[in-house]
Amino acid sequence: MSTLQDRLRIPWRGGAKQISLDSALPLVVQPLLAYIAAQSVWCTAVVALVLLLCMFYLYSTFVRFLPRTKFFFVWTLTSIVLLLLVFEFSVVPFLEIMPHENCILIGLVISSGICLYKVRSRAEQNFVVHSDMGEETELVCSVCRRRVPPRTFHCRICQACIVKRDHHCVWLDCCIGDKNHRLFVVGVLLSVSALVYGAFLTLTTICHPSFYFMETILLPDDCSDVYHDFTIALCFISSIYCIVMAFLLLLLLAHQCWLITLGMTGQEWRCVQGSGHVWCAGLRSERPFSHGLLHNWLEFFSCLRSPKDGLLTAA
């Protein structure tokens, strides 16, 4: 494995660049799984189940033994590229997609991509520069034993103290904190919109469409014969993949909205869970930074700093 890891390189200006095995794995696994899943409905079900179980296993394994892995980030990029290729080169040629519908979808994809790119680019702005910490704060990080601002938590993956840390997003390979939390929420919302809209356009193209909802919105009717052709089956499984991803992202978005309403970060919410309030975490505990539903949302989107931020002890 060490020899293979050393020889796994790609041509680049100035010399070949070495890439890690975990980063290259999604580039091979995703097209292979898509090919297998497009064979039949049973293959689709088996691949979906295996993929779900493997993702949980890989997440627990990588976080434990290889915390700074690029596997999940490359998986995200590969998914975006493959879904766009399938849509543009397999769905659009059926001539059922109107030009403005394609433009709307591309616009949603580009908008979400810009937001998520800025989330990554601003991630390091959440890092605490310990040299700038004076005697005005007595809060000390329990991991690196240095002075930190209020509501600061240490990320063992980034190996840094993060201001208002929400969580470390493995799919973007960066921490979500004070400087990129708003962009993250907007990016997730745009991603859900792009996934749902793309799946909707794909299903109404490859399945028998019917006017069901209020006789104005076109919905898919019968998708029983999609596996008779490989291209159509590939489009079908890509739409199912979009729906599943949109559902998971929608759960994440709902959780983020709930935390914003409570006036808490994800890290503070997990600390409350660890104290014993597993169910209804946040409702049964003290929320010193909450100013009510409306003010919490205004504070989140206006980047205002709460006057009570100096009261939290760093974890």
Side-chain angles (χ1 to χ4, degrees):
M1 292 298 294
S2 300
T3 304
L4 178 63
Q5 177 77 19
D6 181 68
R7 295 181 179 178
L8 192 61
R9 300 173 183 269
I10 57 174
W12 204 258
R13 186 180 3 178
K17 281 188 172 291
Q18 183 180 359
I19 59 175
S20 59
L21 184 60
D22 58 301
S23 300
L25 198 58
L27 302 177
V28 179
V29 172
Q30 280 206 22
L32 179 62
L33 291 179
Y35 176 80
I36 296 174
Q39 301 304 312
S40 67
V41 62
W42 293 110
C43 290
T44 302
V46 171
V47 168
L49 180 61
V50 171
L51 182 61
L52 184 63
L53 295 177
C54 286
M55 277 299 172
F56 279 111
Y57 174 76
L58 290 174
Y59 177 79
S60 59
T61 302
F62 282 146
V63 168
R64 185 181 306 172
F65 300 106
L66 191 63
R68 197 64 182 184
T69 178
K70 297 287 186 180
F71 173 83
F72 300 100
F73 176 62
V74 177
W75 186 280
T76 302
L77 294 180
T78 308
S79 298
I80 296 172
V81 172
L82 288 180
L83 289 174
L84 279 177
L85 290 176
V86 170
F87 185 83
E88 295 297 332
F89 294 101
S90 296
V91 179
V92 174
F94 282 107
L95 302 180
E96 298 288 342
I97 305 296
M98 301 297 293
H100 70 275
E101 294 175 332
N102 195 10
C103 291
I104 292 175
L105 178 61
I106 296 300
L108 288 173
V109 173
I110 293 176
S111 301
S112 63
I114 291 175
C115 283
L116 297 180
Y117 170 78
K118 289 186 176 182
V119 168
R120 276 182 54 85
S121 62
R122 295 186 182 184
E124 292 189 1
Q125 297 180 15
N126 297 313
F127 292 3
V128 174
V129 181
H130 296 284
S131 60
D132 295 340
M133 291 291 102
E135 298 296 329
E136 67 275 5
T137 175
E138 298 181 355
L139 305 178
V140 178
C141 175
S142 60
V143 178
C144 58
R145 310 304 302 173
R146 295 180 179 179
R147 295 182 182 274
V148 293
R151 304 187 76 178
T152 299
F153 299 88
H154 192 89
C155 177
R156 67 182 186 88
I157 299 178
C158 296
Q159 292 297 311
C161 296
I162 310 298
V163 179
K164 296 182 71 173
R165 180 179 185 266
D166 188 82
H167 69 284
H168 184 92
C169 182
V170 295
W171 305 103
L172 298 177
D173 191 33
C174 67
C175 252
I176 309 301
D178 183 46
K179 300 300 182 180
N180 59 357
H181 196 183
R182 286 161 287 276
L183 282 171
F184 176 75
V185 173
V186 175
V188 170
L189 178 60
L190 291 173
S191 299
V192 171
S193 303
L195 289 168
V196 172
Y197 191 62
F200 169 77
L201 293 178
T202 302
L203 289 176
T204 53
T205 299
I206 62 175
C207 301
H208 301 291
S210 297
F211 287 96
Y212 274 151
F213 186 69
M214 300 177 61
E215 297 184 353
T216 55
I217 299 180
L218 195 65
L219 297 177
D221 182 13
D222 185 11
C223 299
S224 59
D225 57 349
V226 294
Y227 290 98
H228 293 167
D229 183 82
F230 175 78
T231 302
I232 298 178
L234 189 62
C235 297
F236 178 73
I237 64 170
S238 69
S239 63
I240 298 301
Y241 185 77
C242 287
I243 292 174
V244 173
M245 292 299 101
F247 175 74
L248 296 177
L249 287 178
L250 197 59
L251 292 180
L252 173 62
L253 185 62
H255 184 247
Q256 289 292 318
C257 292
W258 176 243
L259 292 178
I260 296 171
T261 303
L262 293 177
M264 303 174 68
T265 64
Q267 184 69 49
E268 294 166 353
W269 185 77
R270 287 186 291 274
C271 291
V272 171
Q273 278 191 317
S275 64
H277 300 297
V278 178
W279 300 104
C280 300
L283 288 178
R284 299 172 57 187
S285 61
E286 294 184 2
R287 303 192 303 275
F289 310 107
S290 177
H291 306 283
L293 187 150
L294 181 60
H295 287 283
N296 288 340
W297 279 94
L298 289 176
E299 180 184 339
F300 177 78
F301 282 108
S302 62
C303 310
L304 296 177
R305 192 172 182 83
S306 170
K308 298 182 181 180
D309 280 357
L311 302 178
L312 187 69
T313 302

